[in-house]
Amino acid sequence: GQNIDQPTEMTATEGAIVQINCTYQTSGFNGLFWYQQHAGEAPTFLSYNVLDGLEEKGRFSSFLSRSKGYSYLLLKELQMKDSASYLCAVRDSASGAGSYQLTFGKGTKLSVIP
Amino acid sequence: EAGVVQSPRYKIIEKKQPVAFWCNPISGHNTLYWYLQNLGQGPELLIRYENEEAVDDSQLPKDRFSAERLKGVDSTLKIQPAELGDSAVYLCASSPWTGSEAFFGQGTRLTVV
């Protein structure tokens, strides 16, 4: 099974940097995804990590430490439109060879204030 | 390229009535997911299909929920009878293969009164 933890809410100022943490406990870990979800909309893919280290994509970066069961999403130069929920999702091996399941955390609601 | 299409977007029904949701995944995507999302929570998996085969339905309340994916393309999720606690957003997602990036539809917001 999986146990994925994220902070429930965070608030940050426009133009600042914010780090959203995610810890997980799972067997057969095979990757971690971050999704963004604006209120009333579908989750959209932000980033994917399967190896340790930092993946940078524009203003967004994601870090993974498999030994610590830890990831974070870093948002730089925050904009008002970044106000959304950020979902951490872990992929791990389910029953059957080559079969994986994707399990989501409860999400972190980020509010960006002027 | 068209994304994942779900219908209806919104549905209000009385308790004990049946309801059905429809999903058309991205063309060529073999894996299809149905998730349930309550307000302020992350998506929770109900069922996962690989082509037409349901490979993970352990979280699906089988006494009232059913799903099918005939021909391994479109899928339908049904609730019969609906209960007040079923009010939530039902999200459909698809991916090229199991475990790859999932693409979500807009969801169906169900309200049971």
Side-chain angles (χ1 to χ4, degrees), chain A residues 35-66:
Chain A
Y35 283 80
Q36 180 190 60
Q37 186 176 26
H38 285 98
E41 298 184 10
T44 55
F45 170 77
L46 286 178
S47 69
Y48 166 66
N49 296 70
V50 67
L51 299 176
D52 290 352
L54 189 68
E55 294 284 340
E56 297 186 76
K57 188 185 294 185
R59 294 189 298 112
F60 293 4
S61 303
S62 57
F63 172 83
L64 176 66
S65 169
R66 290 172 296 172

Side-chain angles (χ1 to χ4, degrees), chain A residues 8 30 33 35 37 39-45 48 85 87 91 94-95 98-107, chain B residues 9-10 33 35 37 40-45 48 50 55-56 91 97-107 109:
Chain A
T8 303
N30 198 267
F33 296 80
Y35 283 80
Q37 186 176 26
E41 298 184 10
T44 55
F45 170 77
Y48 166 66
S85 286
L87 302 165
R91 180 175 73 190
S95 57
S99 179
Y100 300 97
Q101 59 187 11
L102 190 63
T103 304
F104 285 82
K106 295 184 177 182
Chain B
R9 283 296 310 278
Y10 305 93
Y33 308 83
Y35 284 92
Q37 187 173 28
Q41 303 292 313
E44 300 171 32
L45 181 68
R48 173 169 62 95
E50 295 298 333
V55 296
D56 184 356
L91 293 165
W97 57 277
T98 181
S100 61
E101 172 195 345
F103 296 82
F104 284 84
Q106 291 286 78
R109 181 176 296 277

